């Protein structure tokens, strides 16, 4: 027997129930740590799951960022410094990655407080996560406000990719079994991925 | 030994290699079938993986849609009819779901050609996928052009949720083990999810 839930029901749900339900509808996604730093060099690390592929040529990726009505260190660092990194979370570090969602003060770097190591390259003015096997360095390209609810889509151009051995395979495919990328559903439930199959480009069947 | 890839390398890669590489960077996501219909009642079904949670109150979700320089039935149906459905793909149907990415004519419904059954409710002017255990009916709220590359973020308000037994649990959490939601990486590699753990809301550790 199916359960039907309507807009009027959703509006009347208790806040936490509604948050859990609506957050979960978009399904499971990869857990990604976003690394940034302020002009003063203060680093920040925050877990995101809403990371999108915007385009391959030019190479663009985006992160969906909640409204910035309260203090948001990631956003502030990106607009002032214009660089950010995306770091796939290795599954064995999922608890530490989740801990970055706690409200630390700006002066407290989540790298130090949550057990991750900073790594820098000459090309990107933001810290990478050393423990991650697949990391992307981006330069801010565009910030798009979503007027419906003041969420922001922050888009960056891919300037650098750092991949551990065994990640980039023939034809440019990425092996995410080897990166052991953690997955997250909603804000709190972690999953790991098991590969089923790679399918060929689909064509209409005659 | 890490591999470093730079923006200049990406620009020089052969097109298919670049597409595979850059598409894969955002990681694994849930495979979602988007159901729409034209004013003439012609139905369409298309697989998407870039589905985002925009907000819980009001309940909003979005799909990232590629530039519409060529004929795009999903987009055309959404702008003319203003409704669409999101249907989690059950893992046993992942090959059929992938097949919806083939270029069928507008007069050929992917429901019929790819082995899915249409299901309608009085509230949503778009077809649901009967075989899906978690489906969401949305009304168009906003279409946001991403000027960097003409991609579109199509946002809808959640008007109806249809969940099979065992999906909506206490506190509004969704059980995606029971929906058996398929995952996809890039445009072609399918995964299934294995639950690791649900973690409590994170607080700074003293």
């Amino acid at each position: 027997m199916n359960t039907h839930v309507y807009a009027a029901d959703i509006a009347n749900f208790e806040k936490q129930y509604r948050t859990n339900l609506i957050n979960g509808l978009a399904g499971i996604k990869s857990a990604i740590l976003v690394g940034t730093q302020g002009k003063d060099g203060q680093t920040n690390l925050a877990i995101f799951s809403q990371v999108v592929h915007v385009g391959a040529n030019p190479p663009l990726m985006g992160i969906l960022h909640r409204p910035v009505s309260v203090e948001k260190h990631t956003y502030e660092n990106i607009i002032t410094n214009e660089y950010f990194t995306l770091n796939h979370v290795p599954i064995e570090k999922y608890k530490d990655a989740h801990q970055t969602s706690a409200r630390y003060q700006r002066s407290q770097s989540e790298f130090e407080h949550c057990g991750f190591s900073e790594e820098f390259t000459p090309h990107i003015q933001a810290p990478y996560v050393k423990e991650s096997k697949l990391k992307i360095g981006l330069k801010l390209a565009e910030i798009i406000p979503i007027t419906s609810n003041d969420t922001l889509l922050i888009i960056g151009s891919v300037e650098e990719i750092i991949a551990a051995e065994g990640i980039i395979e023939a034809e440019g495919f990425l092996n995410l079994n080897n990166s052991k990328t953690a997955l997250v559903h909603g804000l709190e439930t972690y999953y790991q991925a098991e590969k089923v199959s790679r399918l060929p480009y689909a064509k209409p069947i005659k």
Side-chain angles (χ1 to χ4, degrees), chain A:
Chain A
M1 196 62 176
N2 284 338
T3 300
H4 286 247
V5 176
Y6 301 104
D9 303 322
I10 297 168
N12 288 324
F13 284 147
E14 178 269 321
K15 185 184 171 191
Q16 196 54 50
Y17 187 100
R18 177 173 55 229
T19 301
N20 294 340
L21 178 69
I22 304 300
N23 262 283
L25 292 175
I28 295 167
K29 301 161 193 289
S30 292
I32 306 282
L33 285 165
V34 178
T36 56
Q37 67 181 358
K39 283 284 179 206
D40 58 356
Q42 176 65 49
T43 59
N44 188 275
L45 192 63
I47 189 166
F48 280 73
S49 66
Q50 307 230 87
V51 174
V52 290
H53 163 75
V54 176
N57 191 19
L60 299 168
M61 297 176 72
I63 56 174
L64 201 65
H65 193 292
R66 294 169 66 185
V68 290
S69 49
V70 297
E71 192 178 332
K72 296 285 183 191
H73 304 141
T74 297
Y75 170 76
E76 286 157 18
N77 287 341
I78 291 176
I79 58 168
T80 57
N81 221 22
E82 299 199 345
Y83 282 94
F84 57 109
T85 69
L86 303 178
N87 307 269
H88 284 233
V89 174
I91 186 70
E92 66 270 18
K93 294 284 279 177
Y94 81 94
K95 287 183 184 173
D96 294 330
H98 184 72
Q99 184 59 29
T100 67
S101 64
R103 289 193 196 183
Y104 289 99
Q105 302 296 312
R106 189 179 180 285
S107 61
Q108 299 175 297
S109 175
E110 290 83 2
F111 278 95
E112 184 191 340
H113 285 83
C114 305
F116 292 98
S117 312
E118 299 175 3
E119 186 176 273
F120 287 90
T121 71
H123 312 279
I124 302 294
Q125 309 314 310
Y128 288 105
V129 173
K130 192 177 170 70
E131 292 81 0
S132 170
K133 289 176 180 291
L134 178 57
K135 355 188 196 210
I136 306 118
L138 299 110
K139 186 167 196 323
L140 177 63
E142 191 178 358
I143 295 183
I144 299 173
I146 296 170
T147 55
S148 299
N149 76 340
D150 296 332
T151 296
L152 299 168
L153 180 60
I154 301 175
I155 295 176
S157 61
V158 176
E159 302 295 327
E160 184 174 41
I161 301 166
I162 306 176
E165 221 164 322
I167 305 288
I168 302 180
E169 297 189 328
E171 300 173 62
F173 287 117
L174 294 170
N175 185 326
L176 295 197
N177 275 348
N178 288 345
S179 64
K180 297 200 171 93
T181 300
L183 308 175
V184 62
H185 178 227
L187 302 174
E188 72 301 308
T189 311
Y190 289 81
Y191 284 80
Q192 55 193 5
E194 186 190 333
K195 186 171 167 178
V196 176
S197 170
R198 176 170 295 156
L199 296 181
Y201 184 82
K203 293 176 182 169
I205 296 160
K206 301 297 173 194

